[in-house]
Amino acid sequence: MRYAIVSDIHSNVEALTAVLGALEALRVDGVLCLGDIVGYGPDPDEATDLMRARATAIVRGNHDHAAVTPGHESYFNPWGRSAIQWTRRVATRENLAFLGGLPMALRVDGARLVHASPSDPEAWQYVMDADDAAPEFESFDETLCLIGHSHIPLVVERSGETDVDVTASEVPLAGGCRYIVNVGSVGQPRDGDPRAAFGILDLGEKRVTLHRVAYDAALTREKIRKAGLPPFLGDRLLRGQ
Ligand code: ZN
């Protein structure tokens, strides 16, 4: 089985469409979505419709959660907060109900899926490096845990008691090792590379690969401006920050 891994789409349909286009040549059997379909961006319904049509499994992100949980936006910065309030106004009831029904965690083909951290998915903690990952490895039984949330790619390999932050874009899943993998963000990358990020999990070849694909971020930025969303949310897309 070959799965695409997508996360943190954030209502960016240009980025999501570019990723789905790239997947056609990669012949995947399924698409695993790690949440934050909405928030920040200008196309919540289009992004949700596409994920509903294409994803094999989806877990709930904190922005999906906030879109259906009045008051939860108070945890966000002012840009995120106003985008969530806007999303609640424009998204269809059906799509909001769908987001509200998403599970916090799933197990798919022997992999754990959560948006933020496996130890307490609803605490929305960030796993940014091997130090953050160390206690998280104690909280799941599977060999592999797929996460999102930080918008920055991260692969941590646990071999025995040692955790290593793997920087390669092609990661063989070694026998006896366990992994926490964040493939980065489709719709709002924050690692300085503005291209949309996604990953491929090949269970047959025991390998995770991290991919990037360019998209028309200037168009998304223009849509953000026209929607009356904070212009900063568009500007940051051009920088990948
Ligand atoms: Zn996010």
Side-chain angles (χ1 to χ4, degrees):
M1 289 289 280
R2 274 163 67 83
Y3 289 103
I5 309 166
V6 297
S7 189
D8 296 276
I9 293 136
H10 286 298
S11 301
N12 184 337
V13 78
E14 286 73 36
L16 180 57
T17 303
V19 168
L20 293 174
L23 291 181
E24 281 174 24
L26 293 166
R27 301 186 325 279
V28 295
D29 303 301
V31 177
L32 309 178
C33 175
L34 300 168
D36 277 5
I37 296 172
V38 301
Y40 296 137
D43 289 310
D45 280 321
E46 291 79 355
T48 306
D49 289 343
L50 275 172
M51 280 291 90
R52 291 176 71 173
R54 295 294 303 275
T56 317
I58 310 176
V59 291
R60 185 191 305 209
N62 54 317
H63 287 254
D64 309 320
H65 185 71
V68 296
T69 311
H72 194 81
E73 71 274 18
S74 62
Y75 295 103
F76 290 176
N77 63 37
W79 306 290
R81 192 180 310 144
S82 65
I84 279 298
Q85 289 162 340
W86 178 88
T87 299
R88 281 186 200 139
R89 286 199 304 275
V90 304
T92 65
R93 280 168 181 268
E94 193 195 345
N95 277 335
L96 290 172
F98 175 80
L99 296 171
L102 292 173
M104 288 289 171
L106 282 173
R107 182 187 168 109
V108 177
D109 243 339
R112 179 77 62 100
L113 276 57
V114 295
H115 178 67
S117 70
S119 61
D120 188 356
E122 210 168 331
W124 312 117
Q125 290 162 339
Y126 290 94
V127 179
M128 304 297 291
D129 54 29
D131 285 344
D132 293 341
E136 299 296 332
F137 275 110
E138 315 299 334
S139 68
F140 63 98
D141 299 329
E142 294 85 352
T143 302
L144 173 65
C145 179
L146 304 175
I147 64 171
H149 195 42
S150 72
H151 299 204
I152 296 173
L154 174 74
V155 178
V156 180
E157 179 183 83
R158 168 162 284 197
S159 174
E161 293 297 304
T162 309
D163 299 328
V164 178
D165 188 342
V166 182
T167 52
S169 61
E170 186 163 325
V171 183
L173 301 176
C177 293
R178 298 173 68 224
Y179 296 86
I180 292 176
V181 173
N182 184 339
V183 300
S185 167
V186 171
Q188 195 197 78
R190 295 180 190 160
D191 60 347
D193 182 343
R195 295 176 299 168
F198 66 100
I200 299 289
L201 166 64
D202 192 319
L203 292 174
E205 298 197 3
K206 298 193 187 330
R207 191 171 55 204
V208 170
T209 45
L210 306 183
H211 295 254
R212 302 303 279 253
V213 59
Y215 75 96
D216 191 351
L219 174 57
T220 314
R221 176 181 183 244
E222 183 61 14
K223 286 180 168 183
I224 285 171
R225 195 188 61 76
K226 281 191 177 152
L229 288 160
F232 167 73
L233 294 173
D235 297 344
R236 69 185 305 175
L237 297 179
L238 302 191
R239 300 191 303 270
Q241 286 175 340

